[in-house]
Amino acid sequence: MNKSVSVKVYHGYGHKHNLVVYGHVFKRKAKSKQVYSNNIFVNIIHLLKLFILKPYPLVKVRLHFFGQTVYQNTEQDGFFKFEWEAVGDVQAGWHTVHVEAVDEHNQVLNACEGKVYVPHITQYAFISDVDDTVMISHSATIGRRLRELFIKNPHTRKTFPDAASHYQQLALSHTEKNQPNPFFYVSSSEWNLYDYLVETFRYNQLPDGAFLLNTLKRWSDLIKTGKTGHEGKLLRVMRILDAFPNQKFIFFGDNSQQDPEIYTQIVERYPKNIEAVYIRNIRPERKIDTEALMQKIQAQHVHACLFRTSNEAIEHSKSIGLIQ
């Protein structure tokens, strides 16, 4: 293996006829192991390392999955996307994929294993924003957002009270314990923060799921983290809906940025696929505008809930029969 090349594979998703896996190839080691320290300087140095990257553009990558081999090339920022159809039946659950970066002679430069999630045939699927919907991030204020990122680590980042409890209940809504409903976490945060977010969610006992994030940023753009990519977020959400046309979706977001507008557009385009939309009221000054969008959503016969605390959202979920 070439130690100057590293491959990073993110959790993918799909079903037999449409499987999707994303990742990056870098020209040097892409990350350092997180030390969960209360030392501010340790956390700052680790975060900076996540943004000091050298992507490997236009390199060939190949994916192995149950005897299949699929080829692709990375983009200019080292990003790759595999989308393929399985030749055999794929059981529900998590499955391992093996991805290799190869040179022009098909010699392996380096490799990495990832996982792809095939949901059980459940009634519901959930798409949730991350910052200020589940995790307290202060996205609307650059200084406070960067303070949360720099000073805290995945074990000290705070999630909203009872958010994990709500999501855990929804994961088992109208299904069996061994067949949880799928969760997709779609964020404007960058792929640089993938491990950071996965560990934050694991530590806070939120349901496992597939993360779909925004384009990599370099250290010089760190101050802009999480502030771009809303059009990309709309496309990522629509791709999930297209991949699972037979499931009813429930959306979670907040009104600190563009979630209400994005979700309203999607509901108007896919009204029969959406069961409910939940928006956390992070910015009270936007409440009236948000309520107007929620009325548009309800006009499509989709449940809508503008909430301040997760307990309010839980009570709404009980009132419409999502949870008991």
Side-chain angles (χ1 to χ4, degrees), residues 236-257:
R236 291 195 294 273
V237 171
M238 290 196 298
R239 283 194 195 112
I240 297 169
L241 267 69
D242 289 337
F244 302 103
N246 299 320
Q247 280 177 300
K248 282 275 193 177
F249 283 85
I250 292 92
F251 293 158
F252 279 84
D254 63 85
N255 65 352
S256 68
Q257 297 188 58

PDB file of all heavy atoms in Angstrom, residues 236-257:
ATOM      1  N   ARG A 236     -29.651  16.724  -2.841  1.00  0.00           N
ATOM      2  CA  ARG A 236     -29.363  15.505  -2.074  1.00  0.00           C
ATOM      3  C   ARG A 236     -30.641  14.904  -1.510  1.00  0.00           C
ATOM      4  O   ARG A 236     -30.826  13.685  -1.525  1.00  0.00           O
ATOM      5  CB  ARG A 236     -28.357  15.818  -0.953  1.00  0.00           C
ATOM      6  CG  ARG A 236     -26.964  16.136  -1.470  1.00  0.00           C
ATOM      7  CD  ARG A 236     -25.921  16.077  -0.374  1.00  0.00           C
ATOM      8  NE  ARG A 236     -26.083  17.104   0.642  1.00  0.00           N
ATOM      9  CZ  ARG A 236     -25.583  18.328   0.571  1.00  0.00           C
ATOM     10  NH1 ARG A 236     -24.924  18.721  -0.512  1.00  0.00           N
ATOM     11  NH2 ARG A 236     -25.744  19.179   1.565  1.00  0.00           N
ATOM     12  N   VAL A 237     -31.537  15.760  -1.010  1.00  0.00           N
ATOM     13  CA  VAL A 237     -32.813  15.275  -0.467  1.00  0.00           C
ATOM     14  C   VAL A 237     -33.648  14.636  -1.574  1.00  0.00           C
ATOM     15  O   VAL A 237     -34.232  13.558  -1.398  1.00  0.00           O
ATOM     16  CB  VAL A 237     -33.583  16.418   0.224  1.00  0.00           C
ATOM     17  CG1 VAL A 237     -34.991  15.956   0.595  1.00  0.00           C
ATOM     18  CG2 VAL A 237     -32.841  16.887   1.476  1.00  0.00           C
ATOM     19  N   MET A 238     -33.698  15.277  -2.737  1.00  0.00           N
ATOM     20  CA  MET A 238     -34.512  14.734  -3.832  1.00  0.00           C
ATOM     21  C   MET A 238     -33.962  13.397  -4.319  1.00  0.00           C
ATOM     22  O   MET A 238     -34.735  12.511  -4.703  1.00  0.00           O
ATOM     23  CB  MET A 238     -34.600  15.749  -4.972  1.00  0.00           C
ATOM     24  CG  MET A 238     -35.452  16.962  -4.611  1.00  0.00           C
ATOM     25  SD  MET A 238     -35.976  17.955  -6.032  1.00  0.00           S
ATOM     26  CE  MET A 238     -34.405  18.489  -6.682  1.00  0.00           C
ATOM     27  N   ARG A 239     -32.628  13.234  -4.295  1.00  0.00           N
ATOM     28  CA  ARG A 239     -32.051  11.953  -4.709  1.00  0.00           C
ATOM     29  C   ARG A 239     -32.490  10.825  -3.775  1.00  0.00           C
ATOM     30  O   ARG A 239     -32.726   9.698  -4.217  1.00  0.00           O
ATOM     31  CB  ARG A 239     -30.518  12.044  -4.713  1.00  0.00           C
ATOM     32  CG  ARG A 239     -29.961  12.786  -5.920  1.00  0.00           C
ATOM     33  CD  ARG A 239     -28.467  12.559  -6.042  1.00  0.00           C
ATOM     34  NE  ARG A 239     -27.869  13.518  -6.962  1.00  0.00           N
ATOM     35  CZ  ARG A 239     -27.043  14.481  -6.596  1.00  0.00           C
ATOM     36  NH1 ARG A 239     -26.685  14.609  -5.336  1.00  0.00           N
ATOM     37  NH2 ARG A 239     -26.543  15.310  -7.488  1.00  0.00           N
ATOM     38  N   ILE A 240     -32.579  11.122  -2.482  1.00  0.00           N
ATOM     39  CA  ILE A 240     -33.027  10.101  -1.530  1.00  0.00           C
ATOM     40  C   ILE A 240     -34.472   9.714  -1.829  1.00  0.00           C
ATOM     41  O   ILE A 240     -34.824   8.528  -1.862  1.00  0.00           O
ATOM     42  CB  ILE A 240     -32.892  10.605  -0.077  1.00  0.00           C
ATOM     43  CG1 ILE A 240     -31.427  10.878   0.268  1.00  0.00           C
ATOM     44  CG2 ILE A 240     -33.464   9.570   0.893  1.00  0.00           C
ATOM     45  CD1 ILE A 240     -31.236  11.630   1.574  1.00  0.00           C
ATOM     46  N   LEU A 241     -35.327  10.699  -2.061  1.00  0.00           N
ATOM     47  CA  LEU A 241     -36.730  10.408  -2.373  1.00  0.00           C
ATOM     48  C   LEU A 241     -36.851   9.583  -3.655  1.00  0.00           C
ATOM     49  O   LEU A 241     -37.661   8.657  -3.735  1.00  0.00           O
ATOM     50  CB  LEU A 241     -37.530  11.703  -2.507  1.00  0.00           C
ATOM     51  CG  LEU A 241     -38.225  12.183  -1.235  1.00  0.00           C
ATOM     52  CD1 LEU A 241     -37.225  12.645  -0.199  1.00  0.00           C
ATOM     53  CD2 LEU A 241     -39.206  13.304  -1.531  1.00  0.00           C
ATOM     54  N   ASP A 242     -36.028   9.918  -4.652  1.00  0.00           N
ATOM     55  CA  ASP A 242     -36.066   9.167  -5.907  1.00  0.00           C
ATOM     56  C   ASP A 242     -35.592   7.728  -5.713  1.00  0.00           C
ATOM     57  O   ASP A 242     -36.058   6.811  -6.400  1.00  0.00           O
ATOM     58  CB  ASP A 242     -35.198   9.860  -6.963  1.00  0.00           C
ATOM     59  CG  ASP A 242     -35.802  11.170  -7.452  1.00  0.00           C
ATOM     60  OD1 ASP A 242     -37.041  11.327  -7.334  1.00  0.00           O
ATOM     61  OD2 ASP A 242     -35.040  12.027  -7.933  1.00  0.00           O
ATOM     62  N   ALA A 243     -34.659   7.528  -4.764  1.00  0.00           N
ATOM     63  CA  ALA A 243     -34.124   6.184  -4.520  1.00  0.00           C
ATOM     64  C   ALA A 243     -35.121   5.292  -3.794  1.00  0.00           C
ATOM     65  O   ALA A 243     -35.072   4.067  -3.923  1.00  0.00           O
ATOM     66  CB  ALA A 243     -32.827   6.265  -3.713  1.00  0.00           C
ATOM     67  N   PHE A 244     -36.048   5.902  -3.032  1.00  0.00           N
ATOM     68  CA  PHE A 244     -37.013   5.122  -2.249  1.00  0.00           C
ATOM     69  C   PHE A 244     -38.433   5.624  -2.504  1.00  0.00           C
ATOM     70  O   PHE A 244     -39.059   6.229  -1.633  1.00  0.00           O
ATOM     71  CB  PHE A 244     -36.678   5.211  -0.751  1.00  0.00           C
ATOM     72  CG  PHE A 244     -35.294   4.736  -0.417  1.00  0.00           C
ATOM     73  CD1 PHE A 244     -34.286   5.636  -0.156  1.00  0.00           C
ATOM     74  CD2 PHE A 244     -35.002   3.378  -0.360  1.00  0.00           C
ATOM     75  CE1 PHE A 244     -33.004   5.208   0.145  1.00  0.00           C
ATOM     76  CE2 PHE A 244     -33.729   2.932  -0.059  1.00  0.00           C
ATOM     77  CZ  PHE A 244     -32.728   3.856   0.190  1.00  0.00           C
ATOM     78  N   PRO A 245     -38.963   5.360  -3.706  1.00  0.00           N
ATOM     79  CA  PRO A 245     -40.267   5.925  -4.079  1.00  0.00           C
ATOM     80  C   PRO A 245     -41.445   5.337  -3.314  1.00  0.00           C
ATOM     81  O   PRO A 245     -42.531   5.908  -3.339  1.00  0.00           O
ATOM     82  CB  PRO A 245     -40.371   5.597  -5.579  1.00  0.00           C
ATOM     83  CG  PRO A 245     -39.490   4.398  -5.765  1.00  0.00           C
ATOM     84  CD  PRO A 245     -38.362   4.571  -4.797  1.00  0.00           C
ATOM     85  N   ASN A 246     -41.235   4.197  -2.630  1.00  0.00           N
ATOM     86  CA  ASN A 246     -42.362   3.537  -1.966  1.00  0.00           C
ATOM     87  C   ASN A 246     -42.445   3.819  -0.469  1.00  0.00           C
ATOM     88  O   ASN A 246     -43.304   3.261   0.217  1.00  0.00           O
ATOM     89  CB  ASN A 246     -42.275   2.023  -2.184  1.00  0.00           C
ATOM     90  CG  ASN A 246     -42.349   1.661  -3.654  1.00  0.00           C
ATOM     91  OD1 ASN A 246     -43.120   2.254  -4.407  1.00  0.00           O
ATOM     92  ND2 ASN A 246     -41.529   0.714  -4.085  1.00  0.00           N
ATOM     93  N   GLN A 247     -41.548   4.674   0.046  1.00  0.00           N
ATOM     94  CA  GLN A 247     -41.580   4.964   1.474  1.00  0.00           C
ATOM     95  C   GLN A 247     -42.111   6.363   1.735  1.00  0.00           C
ATOM     96  O   GLN A 247     -41.952   7.283   0.938  1.00  0.00           O
ATOM     97  CB  GLN A 247     -40.183   4.800   2.089  1.00  0.00           C
ATOM     98  CG  GLN A 247     -39.867   3.324   2.347  1.00  0.00           C
ATOM     99  CD  GLN A 247     -38.467   3.096   2.894  1.00  0.00           C
ATOM    100  OE1 GLN A 247     -37.505   3.453   2.242  1.00  0.00           O
ATOM    101  NE2 GLN A 247     -38.373   2.504   4.056  1.00  0.00           N
ATOM    102  N   LYS A 248     -42.755   6.515   2.899  1.00  0.00           N
ATOM    103  CA  LYS A 248     -43.245   7.810   3.344  1.00  0.00           C
ATOM    104  C   LYS A 248     -42.143   8.488   4.150  1.00  0.00           C
ATOM    105  O   LYS A 248     -41.575   7.882   5.065  1.00  0.00           O
ATOM    106  CB  LYS A 248     -44.487   7.635   4.212  1.00  0.00           C
ATOM    107  CG  LYS A 248     -45.756   7.363   3.423  1.00  0.00           C
ATOM    108  CD  LYS A 248     -46.378   8.684   2.959  1.00  0.00           C
ATOM    109  CE  LYS A 248     -47.803   8.471   2.457  1.00  0.00           C
ATOM    110  NZ  LYS A 248     -48.426   9.742   2.082  1.00  0.00           N
ATOM    111  N   PHE A 249     -41.860   9.736   3.830  1.00  0.00           N
ATOM    112  CA  PHE A 249     -40.765  10.462   4.474  1.00  0.00           C
ATOM    113  C   PHE A 249     -41.268  11.480   5.478  1.00  0.00           C
ATOM    114  O   PHE A 249     -42.304  12.110   5.287  1.00  0.00           O
ATOM    115  CB  PHE A 249     -39.909  11.163   3.425  1.00  0.00           C
ATOM    116  CG  PHE A 249     -38.976  10.233   2.701  1.00  0.00           C
ATOM    117  CD1 PHE A 249     -39.409   9.506   1.596  1.00  0.00           C
ATOM    118  CD2 PHE A 249     -37.666  10.067   3.129  1.00  0.00           C
ATOM    119  CE1 PHE A 249     -38.546   8.641   0.928  1.00  0.00           C
ATOM    120  CE2 PHE A 249     -36.802   9.201   2.469  1.00  0.00           C
ATOM    121  CZ  PHE A 249     -37.245   8.488   1.371  1.00  0.00           C
ATOM    122  N   ILE A 250     -40.494  11.628   6.541  1.00  0.00           N
ATOM    123  CA  ILE A 250     -40.705  12.684   7.529  1.00  0.00           C
ATOM    124  C   ILE A 250     -39.439  13.524   7.562  1.00  0.00           C
ATOM    125  O   ILE A 250     -38.337  12.986   7.666  1.00  0.00           O
ATOM    126  CB  ILE A 250     -41.014  12.114   8.932  1.00  0.00           C
ATOM    127  CG1 ILE A 250     -42.391  11.430   8.946  1.00  0.00           C
ATOM    128  CG2 ILE A 250     -40.994  13.219   9.974  1.00  0.00           C
ATOM    129  CD1 ILE A 250     -42.384   9.980   8.657  1.00  0.00           C
ATOM    130  N   PHE A 251     -39.601  14.851   7.438  1.00  0.00           N
ATOM    131  CA  PHE A 251     -38.464  15.769   7.410  1.00  0.00           C
ATOM    132  C   PHE A 251     -38.307  16.491   8.738  1.00  0.00           C
ATOM    133  O   PHE A 251     -39.294  16.857   9.380  1.00  0.00           O
ATOM    134  CB  PHE A 251     -38.654  16.849   6.330  1.00  0.00           C
ATOM    135  CG  PHE A 251     -38.632  16.344   4.918  1.00  0.00           C
ATOM    136  CD1 PHE A 251     -39.230  17.076   3.908  1.00  0.00           C
ATOM    137  CD2 PHE A 251     -38.012  15.153   4.586  1.00  0.00           C
ATOM    138  CE1 PHE A 251     -39.210  16.648   2.596  1.00  0.00           C
ATOM    139  CE2 PHE A 251     -37.985  14.707   3.272  1.00  0.00           C
ATOM    140  CZ  PHE A 251     -38.589  15.448   2.278  1.00  0.00           C
ATOM    141  N   PHE A 252     -37.051  16.732   9.108  1.00  0.00           N
ATOM    142  CA  PHE A 252     -36.743  17.568  10.271  1.00  0.00           C
ATOM    143  C   PHE A 252     -35.756  18.649   9.845  1.00  0.00           C
ATOM    144  O   PHE A 252     -34.766  18.362   9.160  1.00  0.00           O
ATOM    145  CB  PHE A 252     -36.115  16.736  11.394  1.00  0.00           C
ATOM    146  CG  PHE A 252     -37.112  15.975  12.216  1.00  0.00           C
ATOM    147  CD1 PHE A 252     -37.567  14.734  11.787  1.00  0.00           C
ATOM    148  CD2 PHE A 252     -37.617  16.492  13.398  1.00  0.00           C
ATOM    149  CE1 PHE A 252     -38.496  14.025  12.528  1.00  0.00           C
ATOM    150  CE2 PHE A 252     -38.547  15.792  14.144  1.00  0.00           C
ATOM    151  CZ  PHE A 252     -38.993  14.558  13.711  1.00  0.00           C
ATOM    152  N   GLY A 253     -36.020  19.891  10.267  1.00  0.00           N
ATOM    153  CA  GLY A 253     -35.112  20.985   9.977  1.00  0.00           C
ATOM    154  C   GLY A 253     -35.306  22.096  10.988  1.00  0.00           C
ATOM    155  O   GLY A 253     -35.923  21.910  12.034  1.00  0.00           O
ATOM    156  N   ASP A 254     -34.776  23.265  10.665  1.00  0.00           N
ATOM    157  CA  ASP A 254     -34.931  24.432  11.544  1.00  0.00           C
ATOM    158  C   ASP A 254     -35.000  25.675  10.670  1.00  0.00           C
ATOM    159  O   ASP A 254     -34.732  25.611   9.462  1.00  0.00           O
ATOM    160  CB  ASP A 254     -33.763  24.524  12.539  1.00  0.00           C
ATOM    161  CG  ASP A 254     -32.445  24.738  11.830  1.00  0.00           C
ATOM    162  OD1 ASP A 254     -32.117  25.910  11.537  1.00  0.00           O
ATOM    163  OD2 ASP A 254     -31.745  23.752  11.542  1.00  0.00           O
ATOM    164  N   ASN A 255     -35.358  26.800  11.283  1.00  0.00           N
ATOM    165  CA  ASN A 255     -35.516  28.024  10.491  1.00  0.00           C
ATOM    166  C   ASN A 255     -34.348  28.985  10.652  1.00  0.00           C
ATOM    167  O   ASN A 255     -34.494  30.186  10.456  1.00  0.00           O
ATOM    168  CB  ASN A 255     -36.848  28.709  10.804  1.00  0.00           C
ATOM    169  CG  ASN A 255     -36.935  29.208  12.247  1.00  0.00           C
ATOM    170  OD1 ASN A 255     -36.060  28.926  13.065  1.00  0.00           O
ATOM    171  ND2 ASN A 255     -37.998  29.939  12.563  1.00  0.00           N
ATOM    172  N   SER A 256     -33.154  28.453  11.002  1.00  0.00           N
ATOM    173  CA  SER A 256     -31.979  29.319  11.087  1.00  0.00           C
ATOM    174  C   SER A 256     -31.445  29.645   9.702  1.00  0.00           C
ATOM    175  O   SER A 256     -30.817  30.685   9.504  1.00  0.00           O
ATOM    176  CB  SER A 256     -30.885  28.674  11.935  1.00  0.00           C
ATOM    177  OG  SER A 256     -30.342  27.538  11.284  1.00  0.00           O
ATOM    178  N   GLN A 257     -31.686  28.745   8.729  1.00  0.00           N
ATOM    179  CA  GLN A 257     -31.224  28.999   7.365  1.00  0.00           C
ATOM    180  C   GLN A 257     -32.374  28.707   6.381  1.00  0.00           C
ATOM    181  O   GLN A 257     -33.428  29.289   6.514  1.00  0.00           O
ATOM    182  CB  GLN A 257     -29.949  28.186   7.080  1.00  0.00           C
ATOM    183  CG  GLN A 257     -28.794  28.617   8.017  1.00  0.00           C
ATOM    184  CD  GLN A 257     -27.465  27.999   7.660  1.00  0.00           C
ATOM    185  OE1 GLN A 257     -26.973  28.156   6.564  1.00  0.00           O
ATOM    186  NE2 GLN A 257     -26.877  27.289   8.609  1.00  0.00           N
TER     187      GLN A 257
END
